[in-house]
Amino acid sequence: VEYFAVAVGCLLAVIVVSGIIALILAVVGVKDVYLPPGTKYGMVFDAGSSHTALYIYQWPANKENGTGIVSQAEACTVPGPGISSYAENPANAGASLRACLDKAMTIIPAEQQRETPTYLGATAGMRLLREQNSTKADLVFAEVSKTIQQYPVDFRGARILTGNEEGSFGWITINYLLETLVKFSFAGKWIRPQAAEVLGALDLGGASTQITFQPSGTIEDNSTEVFFRLYGTNYSIYTHSYLCYGRDQALKMLLVALRKNLTSQQISHPCYPRGYEENVTAAALYDSPCVPAPAAHDPSQILTVRGTGAPAECRNAVQKLFNFTACGANRTCGFNGVYQPPEHGQFFAFSGFYYTFYFLNLTNGQPLSAVNATIWGFCTKGWKELQASFPQESHRRLHNYCPSAFYILTLLHEGYKFDEQMWSNIHFRQKAANTDIGWTLGYMLNLTNMMPAEAPEQVKGQQHGLWAAAIFFIVLTAAVALMAILVLCLWNPT
Ligand SMILES: *[C@@H]1O[C@H](CO)[C@@H](O)[C@H](O)[C@H]1NC(C)=O
Ligand SMILES: *[C@@H]1O[C@H](CO)[C@@H](O)[C@H](O)[C@H]1NC(C)=O
Ligand SMILES: *[C@@H]1O[C@H](CO)[C@@H](O)[C@H](O)[C@H]1NC(C)=O
Ligand SMILES: *[C@@H]1O[C@H](CO)[C@@H](O)[C@H](O)[C@H]1NC(C)=O
Ligand SMILES: CC(=O)N[C@H]1CO[C@H](CO)[C@@H](O)[C@@H]1O
């Protein structure tokens, strides 16, 4: 009986200890402990209204080594117009992406390609196309998806971002790159930077513009409020996207507004330089939901647009694109009746804001009065003088800098209400930490769960060596115990 009890005891001990070993190995996962070092990649197509760009990001495998560690490996501009322009010929939208996808395949090592998360996000150009004809928008998405699926990547879908998402992800991108949300300290811990203030984001696309910031007070209109919890901190952010107030659509609205007389073939344009002339068809002018076509009009009619180079008239015409009276009396407001709390903190203004102001050499922190003076001066130049001053600039774009600049000035100063003092808080930037600023990085960080809601106590990858050693030690101890039990059991019987 005694012998039997000892045998059962030994057997139980063996089972329990083996179980513990098995459990440890299963929970930890041998794979997890011995992940090979290397670089991981992710790709995001930014399908904007005027063009598409592919961003390739990289980060060290198995260790998100603090924020700022995801960096841009490459940015590739897709040749041709934005995907929404292929509504009549969707197959070509897919084909247009090939050059950049081919390039990506030369950058991402072959063995990494299959696990490279790849996204396509479309913005206001596709929002407008969907508004016009959602079947056409679906066909374009089907074609771009088909093309991307022909490449050996982990394609996770093509979709239209909402205006609020576009603004929020731009805000996350900036604050991630500037390490205002979280920082990796030298002590090897994630910390929330105490001194750092989050920055606001001002984005100007071709078909929409976004303003996003953390106000000092409460947000009174919850359609403009987004909440995130990032690294253990709650953020309540104001964001609004104004559809049709991107640069290209705004200039289209301006041109239509300047067409005072529907029977005339002529349009006088005070923002275009004297001596500049171009023809547009009525079909091209009224091709967007931002500019409703007149009831009876002939799409094949050809209109002649003539520049008059008159800055005061130009400014007046641009101001009329905004409705500044639609807000209730006791509400802080942007324009067109959209709620906006008072601005707070520093802002980065990027994409269209940056490109136009960079051309005019206005990105060095010039005060509002100097910006105003430069734009007025630029808008008085005649077409010949302009071409002579900027011989290397494409003539297709040169005539648009004056209206674009007045548009940006009016949008920021009167639309978003940046007064003279607040103006100095706007920083016109294209990049931060060598990475282009836009919504794409924030979008990828969110979708790959690289921005956890809770602050990790320590990064598993960081403590890799220690972690592996601890597991090894526990398993070794358990194995020795197992041996000891077996030996004792075998010695005991008699
Ligand atoms: C991670 O951070 C450490 C300490 O800051 C640094 O020495 C190391 O180069 C970083 N790793 C990568 C892959 O950037
Ligand atoms: C939308 O586009 C589809 C495909 O091009 C076309 O067949 C359909 O007639 C269009 N619908 C409208 C309302 O224009
Ligand atoms: C501005 O908006 C208000 C309220 O929506 C409207 O009554 C008014 O006509 C608008 N003004 C212009 C110039 O469009
Ligand atoms: C651009 O502006 C800065 C600051 O106002 C000035 O110092 C610089 O000379 C300007 N550059 C050009 C090319 O105009
Ligand atoms: C800011 C934002 O849109 N965050 C999203 C990130 O992704 C999760 C799902 O994984 C969404 O729930 C969040 O809203």
Side-chain angles (χ1 to χ4, degrees), residues 288-346:
S288 145
C290 299
V291 285
H297 90 122
D298 171 12
S300 65
Q301 188 184 20
I302 290 170
L303 304 161
T304 303
V305 187
R306 286 211 177 86
T308 61
E313 282 175 51
C314 173
R315 198 195 53 183
N316 285 344
V318 168
Q319 278 172 334
K320 286 196 189 116
L321 301 177
F322 301 86
N323 186 336
F324 297 120
T325 59
C327 288
N330 51 6
R331 242 159 73 108
T332 47
C333 201
F335 57 91
N336 294 1
V338 174
Y339 166 77
Q340 181 189 308
E343 262 121 14
H344 176 70
Q346 304 290 312

Side-chain angles (χ1 to χ4, degrees), residues 346-385:
Q346 304 290 312
F347 285 77
F348 268 20
F350 47 100
S351 51
F353 288 121
Y354 176 82
Y355 298 123
T356 303
F357 270 33
Y358 178 75
F359 177 80
L360 294 170
N361 189 24
L362 290 174
T363 53
N364 302 314
Q366 287 92 338
L368 185 57
S369 55
V371 169
N372 201 27
T374 300
I375 295 173
W376 277 66
F378 182 83
C379 287
T380 52
K381 286 189 207 291
W383 183 229
K384 285 227 170 67
E385 186 191 351

Side-chain angles (χ1 to χ4, degrees), residues 175-212:
N175 287 291
Y176 176 86
L177 292 173
L178 296 179
E179 304 195 322
T180 59
L181 301 174
V182 69
K183 211 181 172 73
F184 198 74
S185 77
F186 288 111
K189 279 207 158 105
W190 295 83
I191 53 167
R192 193 177 122 61
Q194 292 302 318
E197 279 236 18
V198 294
L199 278 89
L202 299 167
D203 186 359
L204 179 64
S208 68
T209 180
Q210 286 73 240
I211 176 168
T212 310

Side-chain angles (χ1 to χ4, degrees), residues 187-189 458-469:
K189 279 207 158 105
Q458 51 189 294
V459 183
K460 200 168 158 194
Q462 263 299 313
Q463 305 285 328
H464 188 259
L466 211 62
W467 183 239

Side-chain angles (χ1 to χ4, degrees), residues 38 59-61 63-66 69 184-186 188 462:
W59 60 95
K63 50 176 86 169
E64 279 81 69
N65 199 6
I69 207 65
F184 198 74
S185 77
F186 288 111
Q462 263 299 313

Side-chain angles (χ1 to χ4, degrees), residues 42 65 70 94 170 188 216 226 273 331 384 448:
N65 199 6
V70 176
S216 51
V226 282
R331 242 159 73 108
K384 285 227 170 67
T448 52

